[in-house]
Amino acid sequence: MDEEFHQLFYIGAGRQQIWDWLQTINMHLNRYRWLRLEVANLNWDTILEQHQNIYQAVKDKNVESIRFTSAAHLRLMLSEAPSLLEKFPDYFADNDNE
């Protein structure tokens, strides 16, 4: 359902081709999302609430709220990354040693 939620915005904007292209290069994001399911301390209510807020902002045609809620949703992955790195250290490249 998370994937469908995001896809609907591309469809609504008439950008299905961009969505299709993104899916060909989205392997790492999808891997991250699957691994997230295995980290107990990451709350799904946060994502659900963010999706509801994004939907409401779009419904209200509130551009500023759309920008704010979308940015918060994108930042969530960055704030949760340490939990995934801790649980699955071998799944992520150590960029400092490259």
Side-chain angles (χ1 to χ4, degrees), residues 54-68:
I54 292 168
Y55 171 76
Q56 190 62 49
V58 170
K59 187 176 166 186
D60 294 344
K61 299 178 183 176
N62 184 333
V63 175
E64 188 57 38
S65 184
I66 293 168
R67 286 185 184 132
F68 179 80

Side-chain angles (χ1 to χ4, degrees), residues 23-35:
Q23 296 316 296
T24 67
I25 61 170
N26 234 3
M27 178 180 64
H28 294 299
L29 178 60
N30 288 333
R31 176 177 58 133
Y32 177 93
R33 289 159 85 193
W34 281 104
L35 290 173

Side-chain angles (χ1 to χ4, degrees), residues 2 4 9 11 14 26 35 39 41-42 45 47 53-55 62 64-66 68 70 73 79-81 84 91-92 94:
D2 183 57
E4 290 176 36
F9 286 98
I11 292 170
N26 234 3
L35 290 173
V39 180
N41 68 330
L42 298 180
D45 291 339
I47 290 177
N53 291 341
I54 292 168
Y55 171 76
N62 184 333
E64 188 57 38
S65 184
I66 293 168
F68 179 80
S70 296
H73 186 56
S79 69
E80 292 179 344
L84 267 76
Y91 282 62
F92 299 92
D94 182 0

Side-chain angles (χ1 to χ4, degrees), residues 1-10 19 23 26 29-30 32-34 36-37 44 46-52 54 73 76-77:
M1 290 179 72
D2 183 57
E3 191 83 359
E4 290 176 36
F5 177 82
H6 292 272
Q7 183 182 17
L8 286 173
F9 286 98
Y10 285 86
W19 174 262
Q23 296 316 296
N26 234 3
L29 178 60
N30 288 333
Y32 177 93
R33 289 159 85 193
W34 281 104
R36 188 189 186 283
L37 293 170
W44 279 98
T46 302
I47 290 177
L48 217 74
E49 182 179 332
Q50 287 182 341
H51 283 180
Q52 290 167 340
I54 292 168
H73 186 56
L76 179 64
M77 186 168 73

